[in-house]
């Protein structure tokens, strides 16, 4: 089968780390939020503080510095929010779990496509979508669960250079009751979406969405996810 041209172009591109810990000696812990993780079965997912403690303690008990993972994962955690309904469970991005206020950098020169504060319970909270080109191919990156100050001064079409900090992670109350983390997602086509794009899909739709949202580790290039 012929190699997907966008995937090939991304694999041949050097990206700036999206967050500091990715490029340093920080130790990552792959967080499994699917039903196959027996440790999550005892967590009351409707208790937001219990879920936050689960995330924090999972990273700490593994002797690691931050949490990461989730692409293509069939998660059970979305039952705690009406945003996802009963069918949506396939996670389309990679989550990087770390401290609120941590800086977020532009991986490749691009422009601001759109932004919004998606402040429904369990949603992204403050969100930025960037538009990029590699070779002749256009693609988009989405950054969810940001601080509200990350949206200040933005405008559609604003150029952001490679390696420039353009956002920071939001605190618990800013990112609509999630433990601080970055939801990072890669998309080929946004359709008519602005400031938002599904980060979770139904199992019945996963073929379409996983094809439109390739593995974000093509950009993150975190070895434990390869």
């Amino acid at each position: 089968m012929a190699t997907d041209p966008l995937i090939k172009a991304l694999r041949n591109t050097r990206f700036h780390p999206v967050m500091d810990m990715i490029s340093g000696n920080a130790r990552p812990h792959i967080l499994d939020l699917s039903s196959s993780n027996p440790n999550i079965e005892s967590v009351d997912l409707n208790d937001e503080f219990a879920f936050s403690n689960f995330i924090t303690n999972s990273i700490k008990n593994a002797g690691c510095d931050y949490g990461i993972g989730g692409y293509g994962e069939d998660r059970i955690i979305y039952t705690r929010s009406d945003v996802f309904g009963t069918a949506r469970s396939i996670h389309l991005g990679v989550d990087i779990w770390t401290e609120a206020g941590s800086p977020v950098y532009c991986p490749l020169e691009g422009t601001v496509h759109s932004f919004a504060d998606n402040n429904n319970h369990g949603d992204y909270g403050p969100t930025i979508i960037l538009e990029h080109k590699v070779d002749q191919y256009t693609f988009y990156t989405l950054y969810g669960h940001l601080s509200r100050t990350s949206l200040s001064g933005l405008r559609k079409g604003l150029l952001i250079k490679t390696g420039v900090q353009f956002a920071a992670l939001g605190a618990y109350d800013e990112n609509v009751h999630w433990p601080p983390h970055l939801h990072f997602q890669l998309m080929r086509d946004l359709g008519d979406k602005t400031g938002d794009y599904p980060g979770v899909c139904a199992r019945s739709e996963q073929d379409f969405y996983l094809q439109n949202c390739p593995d974000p580790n093509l950009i993150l290039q975190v070895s434990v996810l390869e």
Side-chain angles (χ1 to χ4, degrees):
M1 183 173 66
T3 302
D4 183 304
L6 175 60
I7 300 300
K8 181 177 180 181
L10 292 173
R11 285 176 174 159
N12 291 331
T13 300
R14 177 173 292 183
F15 297 98
H16 188 279
V18 171
M19 300 195 76
D20 288 321
M21 70 284 295
I22 291 175
S23 61
N25 296 319
R27 295 160 297 179
H29 172 57
I30 297 180
L31 271 169
D32 180 358
L33 301 181
S34 72
S35 58
S36 63
N37 181 356
N39 295 321
I40 205 171
E41 293 181 358
S42 60
V43 180
D44 181 356
L45 297 176
N46 290 307
D47 183 334
E48 295 165 352
F49 294 103
F51 178 66
S52 293
N53 287 335
F54 170 77
I55 295 293
T56 301
N57 291 335
S58 294
I59 296 169
K60 180 180 178 180
N61 293 340
C64 294
D65 301 302
Y66 70 101
I68 195 167
Y71 176 69
E73 188 173 74
D74 190 356
R75 291 181 164 181
I76 63 172
I77 61 173
Y78 298 113
T79 55
R80 70 195 192 109
S81 172
D82 292 337
V83 168
F84 305 101
T86 58
R88 294 170 61 195
S89 62
I90 305 298
H91 192 248
L92 302 173
V94 165
D95 288 332
I96 304 172
W97 307 85
T98 187
E99 296 180 2
S102 297
V104 179
Y105 305 98
C106 183
L108 184 72
E109 181 176 290
T111 58
V112 174
H113 173 274
S114 53
F115 54 94
D117 189 353
N118 298 294
N119 62 355
N120 299 305
H121 178 69
D123 210 327
Y124 287 132
T127 308
I128 299 173
I129 297 177
L130 302 182
E131 180 175 335
H132 313 269
K133 286 190 176 179
V134 59
D135 296 340
Q136 72 268 39
Y137 305 105
T138 298
F139 68 97
Y140 305 87
T141 52
L142 180 149
Y143 308 80
H145 304 289
L146 304 175
S147 65
R148 287 200 175 93
T149 57
S150 299
L151 305 184
S152 299
L154 291 185
R155 58 176 173 80
K156 180 179 174 63
L158 179 68
L159 178 67
I160 301 181
K161 295 283 191 178
T162 302
V164 169
Q165 179 187 347
F166 68 97
L169 296 195
Y172 182 81
D173 289 336
E174 289 181 295
N175 73 61
V176 282
H177 296 188
W178 288 97
H181 72 289
L182 175 70
H183 175 96
F184 178 71
Q185 189 165 321
L186 168 62
M187 296 150 298
R188 301 172 189 267
D189 185 7
L190 294 175
D192 60 357
K193 300 291 187 183
T194 59
D196 192 12
Y197 191 85
V200 182
C201 73
R203 295 184 187 96
S204 61
E205 300 174 318
Q206 65 180 317
D207 288 346
F208 167 79
Y209 277 105
L210 290 174
Q211 197 279 333
N212 192 49
C213 302
D215 187 348
N217 202 45
L218 290 161
I219 294 175
L220 296 175
Q221 300 175 350
V222 177
S223 60
V224 296
L225 298 181
E226 293 175 351

